[in-house]
Amino acid sequence: MNLCPSASAYVVAHCRGPVYGNGRMDSPVLQVSSLTKAFGEVRSVDGISFEVGKGEILGLLGANGAGKTTAINMTLGIVTPTDGSVRVFGEDLHTNRISILRRMNFCSTYTQLPGNLRVWQNLKVFGKVYRVPNLANRIDEVLEMLEISHLKNRISGELSAGEGTRLNLCKALLNRPELLLLDEPTASLDPDIADKVRKVVSRIREEEGTSILYTSHNMRDVEEVCDRIVFMHKGKILFTGTADETLDHFKEDSLESVFIRVARSGDIESQKGEVAP
Ligand SMILES: Nc1ncnc2c1ncn2[C@@H]1O[C@H](COP(=O)(O)OP(=O)(O)OP(=O)(O)O)[C@@H](O)[C@H]1O
Ligand SMILES: [Mg+2]
């Protein structure tokens, strides 16, 4: 498995201990501890713990219903945890939500910006919410980054699914977030645009040191952009490690095979039994 050079550099730094970014001993940008969400009898997220370091891209993988979006929604403070904690930039999310959210952003293929506004109007509204300096320039910059400058005057609700996702990504990049949560950002994109989005994600991490939590069902995405992977199944974490460590652990030769095996097993304990020494 070939990780991109910057990803490899991150992994080397990470494997030596808690050293993030430029070699300083920074605390994790995102620290999730024993996080749990129960909807009635169902524990959608069941005691998960993980960290995202400065400049790290962490992939959150798992089958439909594994609990990825619920975990992301708790990291945004949209869903209140039943138990556990979320710390962002070293502070508790629950008690410092507004100041933390100003430094974060989020994009999901499955949420849409107000459909009656033009593309530039949507970006202007969100830019003002995030108090983005030189907003007009920044709007042009993000539209160019996602290659949708030609859609600037279009009504947002009339965009195709893939165009809407790219607008959503523009919104997510507006405030140069230090922590970016991306929930299936390439799900509605054609292969060409998906490739461009992966490159934008890698580029902003490279240029701005953005920390990113990334969910996807596309293993190509994960192999190309993620430094480490958290593998979820039925609300729990089965395994955390690099792509290579994940393959070793499950004794499979592709992430796709790991994914299918875990999704079809329906039995978390049997997967745990495979743990390599
Ligand atoms: N508001 C809710 N009320 C009840 N159950 C919920 C709610 N939100 C999520 N769930 C349940 O929690 C489980 C996890 O859902 P979640 O959306 O987090 O999964 P996911 O891993 O993001 O799946 P997908 O890959 O399909 O997006 C599912 O069984 C879902 O039905
Ligand atoms: Mg989801």
Side-chain angles (χ1 to χ4, degrees):
M1 178 97 22
N2 290 322
L3 293 170
C4 60
S6 51
S8 307
Y10 173 81
V11 169
V12 169
H14 189 82
C15 290
R16 283 180 188 150
V19 180
Y20 300 119
N22 56 9
R24 285 184 299 122
M25 292 285 290
D26 294 330
S27 57
V29 169
L30 171 64
Q31 193 168 24
V32 166
S33 307
S34 306
L35 197 61
T36 298
K37 181 66 192 181
F39 292 108
E41 295 293 296
V42 180
R43 290 167 89 84
S44 301
V45 172
D46 196 357
I48 65 171
S49 301
F50 63 85
E51 294 178 353
V52 182
K54 169 122 184 70
E56 182 181 24
I57 305 180
L58 184 73
L60 199 52
L61 296 197
N64 292 139
K68 307 177 297 291
T69 297
T70 307
I72 284 192
N73 287 344
M74 286 192 277
T75 306
L76 281 167
I78 294 171
V79 167
T80 308
T82 307
D83 204 357
S85 69
V86 177
R87 293 183 74 79
V88 187
F89 311 126
E91 296 182 331
D92 179 62
L93 176 67
H94 183 67
T95 46
N96 300 280
R97 187 161 175 256
I98 300 297
S99 63
I100 287 172
L101 288 183
R102 269 195 221 297
R103 299 166 61 188
M104 291 173 61
N105 217 316
F106 162 76
C107 170
S108 165
T109 294
Y110 304 106
T111 57
Q112 288 181 346
L113 302 187
N116 54 339
L117 297 183
R118 293 187 187 277
V119 163
W120 68 267
Q121 290 172 322
N122 254 319
L123 293 176
K124 189 169 176 183
V125 169
F126 281 95
K128 288 202 175 292
V129 169
Y130 283 99
R131 300 178 185 167
V132 174
N134 302 319
L135 181 55
N137 287 346
R138 184 62 182 158
I139 288 174
D140 288 341
E141 214 168 70
V142 293
L143 287 170
E144 211 168 288
M145 230 187 265
L146 273 301
E147 299 186 19
I148 54 167
S149 303
H150 58 290
L151 302 177
K152 189 172 175 178
N153 285 313
R154 291 274 300 276
I155 300 288
S156 304
E158 295 174 0
L159 300 178
S160 76
E163 290 168 344
T165 298
R166 283 193 277 167
L167 169 57
N168 239 317
L169 277 162
C170 286
K171 185 277 296 180
L173 298 182
L174 264 181
N175 63 328
R176 300 180 194 277
E178 293 162 68
L179 174 63
L180 183 56
L181 310 181
L182 300 177
D183 196 1
E184 299 191 44
T186 59
S188 62
L189 303 179
D190 71 47
D192 174 45
I193 302 301
D195 180 61
K196 287 176 174 164
V197 165
R198 285 193 289 272
K199 289 190 166 58
V200 167
V201 169
S202 297
R203 195 176 116 201
I204 60 157
R205 176 271 282 283
E206 197 69 33
E207 292 176 358
E208 306 190 13
T210 313
S211 305
I212 300 170
L213 184 61
Y214 193 107
T215 84
S216 178
H217 292 124
N218 180 340
M219 296 305 118
R220 177 116 185 244
D221 275 13
V222 176
E223 286 168 10
E224 198 172 319
V225 306
C226 297
D227 302 310
R228 288 189 305 133
I229 297 165
V230 168
F231 228 109
M232 285 186 72
H233 185 63
K234 295 185 178 173
K236 293 182 190 285
I237 291 179
L238 270 190
F239 186 75
T240 304
T242 64
D244 282 340
E245 287 165 354
T246 306
L247 298 186
D248 276 357
H249 176 87
F250 290 98
K251 298 186 173 48
E252 295 283 355
D253 58 8
S254 72
L255 283 180
E256 194 131 340
S257 309
V258 174
F259 193 102
I260 291 170
R261 192 172 114 204
V262 170
R264 289 185 185 166
S265 81
D267 177 3
I268 195 168
E269 292 309 321
S270 72
Q271 301 303 327
K272 275 183 168 169
E274 302 279 343
V275 176

